[in-house]
Amino acid sequence: MFYWRKMPTFEVLGFHFGISKTEAKETFDYWLEILRDVFPASVLEQVGKHDSD
């Protein structure tokens, strides 16, 4: 959720949480799959649209 709200690079995201950029990307991808299973696609699309406004 932090990623969608702030849209940092994975390097910045990793630095913020004290992990490597590779681990940040892998963690993001892991949670993205979980969120896709939990939330309908329309909710994820709304989050993306909100950030681009």
Side-chain angles (χ1 to χ4, degrees):
M1 302 267 178
F2 175 83
Y3 177 81
W4 281 323
R5 182 71 180 140
K6 301 294 182 183
M7 296 301 287
T9 63
F10 287 111
E11 185 173 358
V12 171
L13 188 63
F15 178 78
H16 183 74
F17 291 100
I19 58 177
S20 70
K21 68 179 180 180
T22 303
E23 189 173 353
K25 170 82 169 93
E26 290 170 355
T27 302
F28 175 78
D29 290 340
Y30 171 81
W31 281 104
L32 183 59
E33 289 302 314
I34 291 172
L35 292 173
R36 283 184 176 148
D37 290 340
V38 173
F39 295 113
S42 61
V43 172
L44 295 176
E45 291 171 4
Q46 289 174 11
V47 171
K49 285 181 183 178
H50 175 71
D51 287 337
S52 65
D53 290 344

